[in-house]
Amino acid sequence: MSNGAWTDQENDLIVADYFAMLADDVCGRPYNKVEHRRGLLPLLNDRSEGSVEFKHQNISAVLKGLGEDWIPGYKPAFNFQMTLVDAVARWLALNPAWLGRHSGTRVTTGLAEARPIWIGPPPTLSNQPPPQELEQMLHIARKFDVAARDERNRGLGRAGEERVLAHERASLKSAGRDDLARKVRWVSEEDGDGAGYDIASFAPDGRPRLIEVKTTNGWERTPFHISRNELAVAEERRSEWSLFRLWNFAREPKAFELHPPLDAHVSLTATSFQASFH
C-alpha cells in the first residue's frame, strides 16, 4: 500500500466524495460510508481503506477550520497537509451554492413553534483545544478569511437573525412575559443596518437587550467580523448590548453571548482602514 503524499487528483476525488456524503448527512438521507470508501479505492494510488478513512477525518478538520459543518461520524483529525485545504477550497469555488445554501432559508418566528437555542459558555483560554490544533484551525481561517466570507453571506446572516428573533420571543413567552415578547423588534430588517445591533429585545424584568447576531456554520471559535459602529454602540450602551454568537447553524444551532468590553473576550484586529485625502 502507498504511503506517499496524496496527489491533487486524489485529493480532489476524496473531497468530492466527502461532500457527497455530507450533503446526504445534512439532509438526513441515508448513505453508507464503507461503500463510499470502497468505491474510491480503485481511483486512488494503491491506498488502504484505513488511509481513506483517516483522510476523511482530515477533511472534517479542514472544514472545521473553514467554519463549515462536517460529517459527525468522521471526527476531525489534524496535522494534515495544506494541499488538502487547497482541494477543499477548489471544491467550494466550483460549488458556490454550497456556501450560499441559506440564501432562501426562512425560520419560523411564531412563538409556539420556536425551539430554544442551546446557550453555553463562551470560548476561553481554559477550554481551548491543544495549541497545535488551534493554530492550524486559525491559520486556515486567516488564509481564507472565513470571517469575511460569513459576513458576505447575507442569507446566512439573515437566517441567523431570524432564528434569534424567534428564540427571544419564545424565551419571553415561556417566562410569562407575552407583553414583552410582542414588542421584540428585528431592527436590522425593519430599519436597515446602522443601529449597531440587529434585535431589540428585553430581559424578563423589562430591561432592554440590544442584540448583535453573528452566525456561522462552523465551530464556536470561528472568527467573525464586527464593525466600528457595532463596537461604538457596545461601548455606549454596555449594560444593554450583547453579541449573540450563533454557531453550528446548519445542523443544530448553538450559541454563547459576549458582553462589553469585547476586548476582554476576543482579540480585535484592524482589517481595513479608511483613506482620506490630505
Side-chain angles (χ1 to χ4, degrees):
M1 292 294 172
S2 174
N3 292 319
W6 285 58
T7 66
D8 285 347
Q9 182 180 16
E10 287 181 301
N11 281 332
D12 287 340
L13 286 168
I14 198 168
V15 165
D17 178 72
Y18 185 102
F19 273 102
M21 288 189 289
L22 180 57
D24 286 340
D25 200 272
V26 168
C27 295
R29 295 188 295 261
Y31 63 97
N32 189 303
K33 294 176 184 174
V34 175
E35 288 182 1
H36 274 266
R37 286 200 301 270
R38 292 178 178 172
L40 274 172
L41 290 176
L43 307 176
L44 304 174
N45 296 332
D46 197 27
R47 305 290 178 182
S48 67
E49 279 195 54
S51 67
V52 171
E53 183 173 17
F54 189 73
K55 204 71 171 180
H56 279 136
Q57 290 182 260
N58 287 153
I59 296 171
S60 291
V62 172
L63 288 172
K64 183 175 181 177
L66 286 171
E68 275 294 313
D69 54 325
W70 62 88
I71 298 172
Y74 282 125
K75 182 181 178 180
F78 299 89
N79 296 321
F80 45 78
Q81 298 295 315
M82 287 303 292
T83 54
L84 182 62
V85 183
D86 294 336
V88 173
R90 283 195 296 272
W91 190 93
L92 291 172
L94 291 171
N95 297 272
W98 179 263
L99 294 179
R101 63 193 182 281
H102 292 289
S103 58
T105 300
R106 295 292 298 172
V107 180
T108 301
T109 56
L111 300 181
E113 296 87 349
R115 294 174 55 191
I117 299 171
W118 180 89
I119 300 178
T124 64
L125 288 174
S126 62
N127 64 17
Q128 71 179 11
Q132 287 184 334
E133 176 182 324
L134 179 61
E135 179 53 36
Q136 197 161 31
M137 295 297 93
L138 295 179
H139 175 72
I140 293 172
R142 288 192 298 267
K143 178 177 179 180
F144 292 94
D145 203 352
V146 170
R149 183 208 62 204
D150 281 348
E151 188 74 12
R152 289 192 301 268
N153 191 338
R154 297 304 302 158
L156 175 64
R158 191 175 187 280
E161 290 174 18
E162 191 173 12
R163 183 66 184 83
V164 175
L165 178 74
H167 169 82
E168 287 293 305
R169 288 175 171 169
S171 296
L172 287 167
K173 184 175 175 65
S174 67
R177 296 305 308 262
D178 298 55
D179 57 327
L180 295 178
R182 289 191 292 270
K183 296 179 181 178
V184 176
R185 294 183 62 237
W186 189 356
V187 174
S188 60
E189 179 75 4
E190 297 174 23
D191 303 339
D193 292 328
Y197 55 92
D198 300 308
I199 295 168
S201 185
F202 303 89
D205 63 4
R207 288 180 295 109
R209 274 171 50 80
L210 308 179
I211 304 170
E212 174 62 31
V213 182
K214 300 294 182 182
T215 306
T216 185
N217 288 326
W219 66 319
E220 65 270 27
R221 289 180 179 271
T222 303
F224 57 87
H225 273 198
I226 185 165
S227 71
R228 184 184 298 273
N229 182 52
E230 289 159 0
L231 285 174
V233 175
E235 284 299 306
E236 291 168 6
R237 307 185 69 174
R238 282 192 176 195
S239 63
E240 302 168 4
W241 193 95
S242 68
L243 188 147
F244 198 101
R245 181 51 162 164
L246 197 56
W247 56 280
N248 197 42
F249 185 74
R251 298 273 187 175
E252 183 181 355
K254 299 180 181 180
F256 58 83
E257 289 194 57
L258 300 179
H259 299 275
L262 287 184
D263 56 9
H265 308 280
V266 297
S267 297
L268 297 171
T269 304
T271 57
S272 62
F273 296 89
Q274 177 176 301
S276 301
F277 290 99
H278 298 303

